[in-house]
């Protein structure tokens, strides 16, 4: 199994910054992609940012220019630096990883438990 542990959430004022971290552990053979989704109260979960094994990145239009995702392959850890935060960024942020446990396994998606980000005065 793969365990994902997120950290870095909290309360921040509008215009402020936070950095979320997500560390993957377990019997991991290979990680193909990692990223972040978020879910605000009463809304569907949406992709925030993602990074592939080759370093490619993808962002939601709503966070482009404000959020930056990065990856430390040696530590199986990803980060998202969130700047110029807005109240509409308030949500639970979930980390995910697409990984295999053995060379024969098909890739599966694993999820963290989420970390709450609240942007408010």
């Amino acid at each position: 199994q793969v365990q994902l542990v997120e950290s870095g959430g909290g309360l921040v004022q509008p215009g402020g910054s936070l950095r979320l971290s997500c560390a993957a552990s377990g019997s991991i053979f290979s990680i193909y992609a990692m990223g972040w989704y978020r879910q605000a109260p009463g809304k569907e979960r949406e992709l925030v940012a993602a990074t592939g094994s080759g370093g490619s990145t993808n962002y939601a239009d709503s966070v482009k220019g404000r959020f930056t995702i990065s990856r430390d392959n040696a530590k199986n850890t990803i980060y998202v630096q969130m700047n110029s935060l807005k109240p509409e960024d308030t949500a639970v942020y979930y980390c995910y990883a697409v990984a295999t446990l053995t060379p024969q396994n098909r890739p599966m998606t694993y999820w963290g438990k989420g970390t709450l980000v609240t942007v408010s005065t």
Side-chain angles (χ1 to χ4, degrees):
Q1 282 292 342
V2 176
Q3 293 80 42
L4 299 174
V5 178
E6 303 110 330
S7 61
L11 174 65
V12 64
Q13 293 187 345
S17 298
L18 281 176
R19 189 176 85 148
L20 305 183
S21 302
C22 173
S25 62
S27 302
I28 301 169
F29 174 73
S30 182
I31 297 179
Y32 295 91
M34 293 183 74
W36 297 91
Y37 274 74
R38 68 185 179 187
Q39 187 166 22
K43 295 189 177 181
E44 294 185 355
R45 191 175 292 193
E46 63 172 352
L47 178 67
V48 176
T51 178
S53 58
S56 61
T57 58
N58 184 39
Y59 296 94
D61 288 343
S62 59
V63 307
K64 283 181 180 177
R66 300 188 298 122
F67 290 13
T68 302
I69 190 169
S70 59
R71 179 169 173 172
D72 185 335
N73 290 325
K75 296 181 178 179
N76 286 338
T77 299
I78 60 169
Y79 310 90
V80 60
Q81 178 67 41
M82 306 186 296
N83 298 328
S84 302
L85 283 162
K86 305 175 181 180
E88 50 264 42
D89 294 316
T90 296
V92 177
Y93 285 70
Y94 296 91
C95 173
Y96 76 92
V98 180
T100 55
L101 304 183
T102 71
Q104 293 78 29
N105 280 160
R106 297 170 61 183
M108 293 183 63
T109 302
Y110 301 88
W111 292 92
K113 293 183 179 181
T115 185
L116 177 63
V117 171
T118 303
V119 184
S120 176
T121 55

